[in-house]
Amino acid sequence: MEGTVVAVVVVAVFLLLVLKSGMRVVNQVERGVVFRWGKALPSHRQPGITFLIPFADRMRKVNVQVVTMPVPTQEGITKDNVSVKVDAVVYFRVTDPLRAAIEVQDYVFAVGQVAQSSLRSIIGKSDLDDLLTDRERLHEGLALMIDSPAAAWGIHIDRVEIKDVQLPESLKRSMSRQAEAERERRARVITADGEFQAAQQLANASRIMSDTPEAMQLRLLQTVVEVAAEKNSTLVMPFPVELLRYFDRAAQHIGADLTKSVPPQPSQPAQQPPEPRPAQQAQQAQQAQESADQP
């Protein structure tokens, strides 16, 4: 009887040890790929407690979190023959744990190598201006180039971004001089435009003041008020020219009124020259005869 109890206890302990050796815990961020006698089962194990057949099953856990992988700095020559150094970062995650565990030996290393080669390729196909200004389009093209082989491994590329573009020092100095020249050109254009608008406004103001002379006098008085506000200078007021013009116009109006008030005098007939007398006519005839007789 005692031997039977001992045997039952031994069998129970053995079964517990077998169950314990076959029990596995899969975390929430992982998926389990089970290999039975070296062959992968078609379905992966979900998070939680799972049981394996001792000595027959072997489970490999695959992380399904988003992996952030920096791409080492790659040196290349752009399409417009400029030597640059570019580094990037890749965000990817596993969408098919079974293919990620079977199709590729180390999917993290494989994605890194594809990212480096794709980055060098995108550098050679792009201009320097595109690398500096049009990065969104380059990000999309780089993600497409990396995602093409990674999709066969059960990997999804979430995002690829270019972090930094390192330029040669000589090129940096050239670009700084170009930017400085461009800013100076814009400043000159803005200054010239301001002077042109000011000249237009002054021309309009001069036309208005020429039509209304009183406006010039008001402007003079306003300027005097502005200068006198500081109380540290002596003002010499010139005799207003407009007042002289006023007197001149008043005199012209008075002269015109006087001319209209005097009545016009009647015109006298022109005097006829007096007729010559008979004695004078005879004397004149004698003188003409004498002048004719003389040789």
PDB file of all heavy atoms in Angstrom, residues 203-222:
ATOM      1  N   ALA A 203       4.207 113.797 -54.869  1.00  0.00           N
ATOM      2  CA  ALA A 203       3.699 114.398 -56.104  1.00  0.00           C
ATOM      3  C   ALA A 203       2.195 114.654 -56.008  1.00  0.00           C
ATOM      4  O   ALA A 203       1.703 115.721 -56.422  1.00  0.00           O
ATOM      5  CB  ALA A 203       4.017 113.482 -57.291  1.00  0.00           C
ATOM      6  N   ASN A 204       1.465 113.702 -55.442  1.00  0.00           N
ATOM      7  CA  ASN A 204       0.022 113.907 -55.256  1.00  0.00           C
ATOM      8  C   ASN A 204      -0.253 115.069 -54.312  1.00  0.00           C
ATOM      9  O   ASN A 204      -1.150 115.898 -54.547  1.00  0.00           O
ATOM     10  CB  ASN A 204      -0.615 112.624 -54.726  1.00  0.00           C
ATOM     11  CG  ASN A 204      -0.521 111.474 -55.706  1.00  0.00           C
ATOM     12  OD1 ASN A 204      -0.442 111.684 -56.916  1.00  0.00           O
ATOM     13  ND2 ASN A 204      -0.527 110.244 -55.211  1.00  0.00           N
ATOM     14  N   ALA A 205       0.556 115.151 -53.236  1.00  0.00           N
ATOM     15  CA  ALA A 205       0.359 116.248 -52.284  1.00  0.00           C
ATOM     16  C   ALA A 205       0.672 117.595 -52.924  1.00  0.00           C
ATOM     17  O   ALA A 205      -0.028 118.592 -52.685  1.00  0.00           O
ATOM     18  CB  ALA A 205       1.238 116.013 -51.057  1.00  0.00           C
ATOM     19  N   SER A 206       1.725 117.634 -53.745  1.00  0.00           N
ATOM     20  CA  SER A 206       2.061 118.906 -54.405  1.00  0.00           C
ATOM     21  C   SER A 206       0.964 119.351 -55.370  1.00  0.00           C
ATOM     22  O   SER A 206       0.663 120.544 -55.473  1.00  0.00           O
ATOM     23  CB  SER A 206       3.395 118.760 -55.139  1.00  0.00           C
ATOM     24  OG  SER A 206       3.277 117.805 -56.187  1.00  0.00           O
ATOM     25  N   ARG A 207       0.357 118.392 -56.073  1.00  0.00           N
ATOM     26  CA  ARG A 207      -0.744 118.757 -56.983  1.00  0.00           C
ATOM     27  C   ARG A 207      -1.938 119.285 -56.198  1.00  0.00           C
ATOM     28  O   ARG A 207      -2.582 120.258 -56.607  1.00  0.00           O
ATOM     29  CB  ARG A 207      -1.139 117.536 -57.824  1.00  0.00           C
ATOM     30  CG  ARG A 207      -0.176 117.236 -58.958  1.00  0.00           C
ATOM     31  CD  ARG A 207      -0.779 116.247 -59.937  1.00  0.00           C
ATOM     32  NE  ARG A 207      -0.953 114.932 -59.325  1.00  0.00           N
ATOM     33  CZ  ARG A 207      -0.052 113.966 -59.352  1.00  0.00           C
ATOM     34  NH1 ARG A 207       1.115 114.168 -59.965  1.00  0.00           N
ATOM     35  NH2 ARG A 207      -0.295 112.800 -58.780  1.00  0.00           N
ATOM     36  N   ILE A 208      -2.226 118.663 -55.081  1.00  0.00           N
ATOM     37  CA  ILE A 208      -3.359 119.135 -54.273  1.00  0.00           C
ATOM     38  C   ILE A 208      -3.081 120.528 -53.715  1.00  0.00           C
ATOM     39  O   ILE A 208      -3.949 121.411 -53.709  1.00  0.00           O
ATOM     40  CB  ILE A 208      -3.645 118.134 -53.141  1.00  0.00           C
ATOM     41  CG1 ILE A 208      -4.112 116.801 -53.742  1.00  0.00           C
ATOM     42  CG2 ILE A 208      -4.690 118.675 -52.184  1.00  0.00           C
ATOM     43  CD1 ILE A 208      -4.291 115.707 -52.711  1.00  0.00           C
ATOM     44  N   MET A 209      -1.818 120.737 -53.245  1.00  0.00           N
ATOM     45  CA  MET A 209      -1.490 122.049 -52.684  1.00  0.00           C
ATOM     46  C   MET A 209      -1.459 123.135 -53.752  1.00  0.00           C
ATOM     47  O   MET A 209      -1.757 124.302 -53.471  1.00  0.00           O
ATOM     48  CB  MET A 209      -0.140 121.974 -51.970  1.00  0.00           C
ATOM     49  CG  MET A 209      -0.177 121.176 -50.688  1.00  0.00           C
ATOM     50  SD  MET A 209       1.422 121.137 -49.831  1.00  0.00           S
ATOM     51  CE  MET A 209       0.988 120.146 -48.398  1.00  0.00           C
ATOM     52  N   SER A 210      -1.064 122.763 -54.981  1.00  0.00           N
ATOM     53  CA  SER A 210      -1.083 123.763 -56.064  1.00  0.00           C
ATOM     54  C   SER A 210      -2.509 124.159 -56.422  1.00  0.00           C
ATOM     55  O   SER A 210      -2.763 125.300 -56.800  1.00  0.00           O
ATOM     56  CB  SER A 210      -0.363 123.213 -57.292  1.00  0.00           C
ATOM     57  OG  SER A 210      -1.052 122.062 -57.786  1.00  0.00           O
ATOM     58  N   ASP A 211      -3.446 123.241 -56.274  1.00  0.00           N
ATOM     59  CA  ASP A 211      -4.847 123.580 -56.549  1.00  0.00           C
ATOM     60  C   ASP A 211      -5.447 124.407 -55.421  1.00  0.00           C
ATOM     61  O   ASP A 211      -6.315 125.249 -55.670  1.00  0.00           O
ATOM     62  CB  ASP A 211      -5.659 122.303 -56.755  1.00  0.00           C
ATOM     63  CG  ASP A 211      -5.209 121.531 -57.987  1.00  0.00           C
ATOM     64  OD1 ASP A 211      -4.615 122.159 -58.893  1.00  0.00           O
ATOM     65  OD2 ASP A 211      -5.452 120.304 -58.041  1.00  0.00           O
ATOM     66  N   THR A 212      -5.024 124.178 -54.205  1.00  0.00           N
ATOM     67  CA  THR A 212      -5.539 124.924 -53.046  1.00  0.00           C
ATOM     68  C   THR A 212      -4.343 125.536 -52.313  1.00  0.00           C
ATOM     69  O   THR A 212      -3.708 124.881 -51.476  1.00  0.00           O
ATOM     70  CB  THR A 212      -6.312 123.989 -52.103  1.00  0.00           C
ATOM     71  OG1 THR A 212      -5.449 122.906 -51.738  1.00  0.00           O
ATOM     72  CG2 THR A 212      -7.554 123.440 -52.763  1.00  0.00           C
ATOM     73  N   PRO A 213      -3.977 126.762 -52.596  1.00  0.00           N
ATOM     74  CA  PRO A 213      -2.805 127.388 -51.950  1.00  0.00           C
ATOM     75  C   PRO A 213      -2.940 127.487 -50.438  1.00  0.00           C
ATOM     76  O   PRO A 213      -1.936 127.548 -49.727  1.00  0.00           O
ATOM     77  CB  PRO A 213      -2.750 128.776 -52.596  1.00  0.00           C
ATOM     78  CG  PRO A 213      -3.495 128.629 -53.893  1.00  0.00           C
ATOM     79  CD  PRO A 213      -4.576 127.645 -53.619  1.00  0.00           C
ATOM     80  N   GLU A 214      -4.168 127.511 -49.923  1.00  0.00           N
ATOM     81  CA  GLU A 214      -4.326 127.592 -48.472  1.00  0.00           C
ATOM     82  C   GLU A 214      -3.746 126.362 -47.777  1.00  0.00           C
ATOM     83  O   GLU A 214      -3.324 126.431 -46.618  1.00  0.00           O
ATOM     84  CB  GLU A 214      -5.815 127.739 -48.119  1.00  0.00           C
ATOM     85  CG  GLU A 214      -6.423 129.054 -48.558  1.00  0.00           C
ATOM     86  CD  GLU A 214      -6.782 129.040 -50.035  1.00  0.00           C
ATOM     87  OE1 GLU A 214      -6.605 127.979 -50.665  1.00  0.00           O
ATOM     88  OE2 GLU A 214      -7.237 130.080 -50.552  1.00  0.00           O
ATOM     89  N   ALA A 215      -3.719 125.227 -48.486  1.00  0.00           N
ATOM     90  CA  ALA A 215      -3.162 124.020 -47.874  1.00  0.00           C
ATOM     91  C   ALA A 215      -1.672 124.183 -47.596  1.00  0.00           C
ATOM     92  O   ALA A 215      -1.162 123.674 -46.584  1.00  0.00           O
ATOM     93  CB  ALA A 215      -3.397 122.809 -48.786  1.00  0.00           C
ATOM     94  N   MET A 216      -0.939 124.877 -48.471  1.00  0.00           N
ATOM     95  CA  MET A 216       0.484 125.122 -48.242  1.00  0.00           C
ATOM     96  C   MET A 216       0.691 125.963 -46.992  1.00  0.00           C
ATOM     97  O   MET A 216       1.592 125.708 -46.184  1.00  0.00           O
ATOM     98  CB  MET A 216       1.094 125.807 -49.459  1.00  0.00           C
ATOM     99  CG  MET A 216       2.573 126.128 -49.317  1.00  0.00           C
ATOM    100  SD  MET A 216       3.589 124.654 -49.164  1.00  0.00           S
ATOM    101  CE  MET A 216       3.493 124.074 -50.859  1.00  0.00           C
ATOM    102  N   GLN A 217      -0.160 126.964 -46.805  1.00  0.00           N
ATOM    103  CA  GLN A 217      -0.050 127.790 -45.618  1.00  0.00           C
ATOM    104  C   GLN A 217      -0.355 126.988 -44.359  1.00  0.00           C
ATOM    105  O   GLN A 217       0.329 127.116 -43.336  1.00  0.00           O
ATOM    106  CB  GLN A 217      -0.997 128.999 -45.732  1.00  0.00           C
ATOM    107  CG  GLN A 217      -0.818 130.021 -44.630  1.00  0.00           C
ATOM    108  CD  GLN A 217       0.521 130.723 -44.728  1.00  0.00           C
ATOM    109  OE1 GLN A 217       1.115 130.764 -45.797  1.00  0.00           O
ATOM    110  NE2 GLN A 217       1.013 131.240 -43.608  1.00  0.00           N
ATOM    111  N   LEU A 218      -1.366 126.122 -44.420  1.00  0.00           N
ATOM    112  CA  LEU A 218      -1.679 125.274 -43.265  1.00  0.00           C
ATOM    113  C   LEU A 218      -0.541 124.307 -42.966  1.00  0.00           C
ATOM    114  O   LEU A 218      -0.222 124.043 -41.803  1.00  0.00           O
ATOM    115  CB  LEU A 218      -2.974 124.507 -43.528  1.00  0.00           C
ATOM    116  CG  LEU A 218      -4.247 125.344 -43.617  1.00  0.00           C
ATOM    117  CD1 LEU A 218      -5.430 124.447 -43.964  1.00  0.00           C
ATOM    118  CD2 LEU A 218      -4.506 126.061 -42.297  1.00  0.00           C
ATOM    119  N   ARG A 219       0.075 123.793 -44.016  1.00  0.00           N
ATOM    120  CA  ARG A 219       1.214 122.895 -43.805  1.00  0.00           C
ATOM    121  C   ARG A 219       2.383 123.631 -43.161  1.00  0.00           C
ATOM    122  O   ARG A 219       3.078 123.090 -42.297  1.00  0.00           O
ATOM    123  CB  ARG A 219       1.638 122.294 -45.150  1.00  0.00           C
ATOM    124  CG  ARG A 219       2.811 121.358 -45.065  1.00  0.00           C
ATOM    125  CD  ARG A 219       2.555 120.218 -44.113  1.00  0.00           C
ATOM    126  NE  ARG A 219       3.712 119.343 -43.989  1.00  0.00           N
ATOM    127  CZ  ARG A 219       3.872 118.431 -43.029  1.00  0.00           C
ATOM    128  NH1 ARG A 219       2.951 118.315 -42.098  1.00  0.00           N
ATOM    129  NH2 ARG A 219       4.945 117.694 -43.007  1.00  0.00           N
ATOM    130  N   LEU A 220       2.602 124.888 -43.572  1.00  0.00           N
ATOM    131  CA  LEU A 220       3.655 125.700 -42.967  1.00  0.00           C
ATOM    132  C   LEU A 220       3.389 125.920 -41.482  1.00  0.00           C
ATOM    133  O   LEU A 220       4.291 125.794 -40.639  1.00  0.00           O
ATOM    134  CB  LEU A 220       3.767 127.020 -43.714  1.00  0.00           C
ATOM    135  CG  LEU A 220       4.758 128.036 -43.134  1.00  0.00           C
ATOM    136  CD1 LEU A 220       6.172 127.483 -43.164  1.00  0.00           C
ATOM    137  CD2 LEU A 220       4.685 129.354 -43.903  1.00  0.00           C
ATOM    138  N   LEU A 221       2.148 126.229 -41.158  1.00  0.00           N
ATOM    139  CA  LEU A 221       1.805 126.437 -39.751  1.00  0.00           C
ATOM    140  C   LEU A 221       1.944 125.149 -38.943  1.00  0.00           C
ATOM    141  O   LEU A 221       2.395 125.174 -37.790  1.00  0.00           O
ATOM    142  CB  LEU A 221       0.375 126.977 -39.652  1.00  0.00           C
ATOM    143  CG  LEU A 221       0.137 128.363 -40.270  1.00  0.00           C
ATOM    144  CD1 LEU A 221      -1.328 128.745 -40.172  1.00  0.00           C
ATOM    145  CD2 LEU A 221       1.009 129.417 -39.607  1.00  0.00           C
ATOM    146  N   GLN A 222       1.584 124.024 -39.537  1.00  0.00           N
ATOM    147  CA  GLN A 222       1.754 122.751 -38.835  1.00  0.00           C
ATOM    148  C   GLN A 222       3.227 122.452 -38.568  1.00  0.00           C
ATOM    149  O   GLN A 222       3.595 121.982 -37.487  1.00  0.00           O
ATOM    150  CB  GLN A 222       1.129 121.623 -39.664  1.00  0.00           C
ATOM    151  CG  GLN A 222       1.191 120.265 -38.982  1.00  0.00           C
ATOM    152  CD  GLN A 222       0.580 119.177 -39.830  1.00  0.00           C
ATOM    153  OE1 GLN A 222       0.138 119.449 -40.942  1.00  0.00           O
ATOM    154  NE2 GLN A 222       0.573 117.953 -39.317  1.00  0.00           N
TER     155      GLN A 222
END
